């Protein structure tokens, strides 16, 4: 319920709330913002075509400011809680009620001991003071024009980019003395390309021509034998050897030497 032009009464709590009316300063700032947007929106951000930002023109942050659309305002609205959650949540207010037992509870000595702040180390030293104290005269001093001029950053000429000109012009300007200069014999000698070695053989082509003799050649029996692939036993017979436990006849007739008989004796402890 509204009580006056600047106050209103809340229906739930019955308290007075003051309405915020924009001042003349805020109204003037809003009109100045719209005027700035209309005047500066047509000015380009970059002066040069190579993408370097102009140091003469500076775009204020208010230039890129724009009012949000209805779609953005709709998406910025907070997510509403579902009706099932509102019915099942334990509390209707974010303020949790405190029970009388918790209000009249007395902390034990152990809790009081744990609640004490941590004591500093006995050998702890505070931070040292700044060795150089700035006097009031130095703090209130004003820099002269000479100091302000020396404090300005050094302006360097940009040499990586050149201004636009006609198409027939060179990229880098060449002086007339350099254009009319005559090279010395030593310069001409150094300008010669490096010669190849007398025994240098150029690379072969990827496609080699085949001679008629190679086309009509007949392979010898030795070449045919070497050209046959290596024969390997199949995996089934390579992993399973049926003769693994058979003893050869030569092994049955073998006679061990005296040294082998000596080594075959067990060790006596």
């Amino acid at each position: 319920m509204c009580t006056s032009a600047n106050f209103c009464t809340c229906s739930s709590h019955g308290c007075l709330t003051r309405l915020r009316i924009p001042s003349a300063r805020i109204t003037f700032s809003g009109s100045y913002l719209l005027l700035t947007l209309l005047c500066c929106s047509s000015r380009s951000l970059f002066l040069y075509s190579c993408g370097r930002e102009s140091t003469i023109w500076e775009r204020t942050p208010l230039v890129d400011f724009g009012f949000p659309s209805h779609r953005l305002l709709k998406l910025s609205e907070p997510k509403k809680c579902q009706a099932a959650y509102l019915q099942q949540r334990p509390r209707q207010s974010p303020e949790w009620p405190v029970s009388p037992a918790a209000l009249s509870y007395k902390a034990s000595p152990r809790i009081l001991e744990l609640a004490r702040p941590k004591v500093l180390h006995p050998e702890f030293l505070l931070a040292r003071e700044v060795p150089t104290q700035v006097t009031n005269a130095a703090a209130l001093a004003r820099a002269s024009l000479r100091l302000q001029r020396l404090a300005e950053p050094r302006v360097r000429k940009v040499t990586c980019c050149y201004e636009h000109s006609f198409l027939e012009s060179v990229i880098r300007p060449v002086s007339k003395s350099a254009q009319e200069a005559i090279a010395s014999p030593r310069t001409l000698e150094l300008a010669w390309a490096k010669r190849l070695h007398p025994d240098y053989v150029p690379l072969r082509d990827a496609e080699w021509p085949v001679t008629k003799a190679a086309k009509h050649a007949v392979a010898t029996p030795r070449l045919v034998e070497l050209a046959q692939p290596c024969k390997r036993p199949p995996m089934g017979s390579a992993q399973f050897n049926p003769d693994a436990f058979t003893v050869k006849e030569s092994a049955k007739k073998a006679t061990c030497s005296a040294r082998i008989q000596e080594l075959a004796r067990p060790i006596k402890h």
Side-chain angles (χ1 to χ4, degrees):
M1 180 178 66
C2 182
T3 58
S4 64
N6 296 335
F7 295 88
C8 70
T9 306
C10 182
S11 60
S12 59
H13 301 281
C15 59
L16 292 177
T17 304
R18 186 171 182 177
L19 299 178
R20 295 184 178 180
I21 300 176
S23 61
R25 176 62 177 170
I26 296 177
T27 307
F28 175 75
S29 301
S31 60
Y32 178 75
L33 173 61
L34 294 177
L35 182 61
T36 306
L37 290 174
L38 294 176
C39 295
C40 301
S41 58
S42 60
R43 192 171 66 180
S44 59
L45 176 61
F46 301 104
L47 176 63
Y48 305 104
S49 60
C50 55
R52 293 183 292 114
E53 188 175 357
S54 174
T55 58
I56 302 176
W57 294 350
E58 295 181 356
R59 291 171 65 95
T60 58
L62 298 178
V63 174
D64 299 329
F65 175 79
F67 293 98
S69 60
H70 296 284
R71 177 61 177 169
L72 291 178
L73 293 175
K74 185 178 180 181
L75 293 175
S76 62
E77 294 179 357
K79 187 178 180 181
K80 299 180 180 179
C81 299
Q82 299 181 2
Y85 169 74
L86 296 176
Q87 296 176 0
Q88 296 178 3
R89 64 178 182 177
R91 300 179 181 86
Q92 298 296 333
S93 175
E95 298 181 359
W96 292 9
V98 183
S99 61
L103 293 174
S104 59
Y105 176 76
K106 294 183 180 180
S108 61
R110 177 58 178 169
I111 294 178
L112 294 175
E113 182 182 357
L114 294 175
R116 294 176 184 174
K118 187 177 180 180
V119 184
L120 296 177
H121 194 271
E123 299 179 1
F124 173 76
L125 299 177
L126 296 175
R128 296 182 179 179
E129 297 181 357
V130 182
T132 56
Q133 298 293 338
V134 181
T135 60
N136 295 333
L140 301 176
R142 293 184 179 181
S144 60
L145 298 178
R146 177 60 177 170
L147 291 178
Q148 294 179 3
R149 184 179 178 183
L150 293 175
E152 294 178 356
R154 184 178 180 182
V155 180
R156 300 180 181 273
K157 186 178 179 181
V158 180
T159 58
C160 61
C161 301
Y162 296 92
E163 298 181 357
H164 293 285
S165 59
F166 53 94
L167 299 178
E168 290 78 6
S169 63
V170 295
I171 300 177
R172 296 179 180 272
V174 182
S175 60
K176 293 184 179 180
S177 58
Q179 296 178 3
E180 299 175 357
I182 300 175
S184 60
R186 178 57 179 170
T187 304
L188 295 176
E189 181 181 357
L190 294 175
W192 289 348
K194 187 177 181 180
R195 299 179 181 179
L196 298 176
H197 195 269
D199 299 337
Y200 172 76
V201 179
L203 298 176
R204 290 186 177 182
D205 297 335
E207 183 180 355
W208 294 3
V210 182
T211 59
K212 293 183 179 180
K215 293 179 181 179
H216 298 284
V218 179
T220 60
R222 178 58 178 168
L223 290 178
V224 174
E225 181 182 358
L226 295 175
Q228 294 180 359
C230 181
K231 295 181 180 180
R232 295 183 176 87
M235 295 299 297
S237 60
Q239 296 179 359
F240 175 72
N241 187 9
D243 300 333
F245 299 98
T246 56
V247 183
K248 299 180 181 180
E249 297 293 336
S250 58
K252 295 179 181 179
K253 301 177 181 180
T255 304
C256 58
S257 60
R259 177 58 178 168
I260 294 177
Q261 292 180 1
E262 182 182 356
L263 297 173
R265 295 175 183 173
I267 299 175
K268 295 181 180 180
H269 297 285

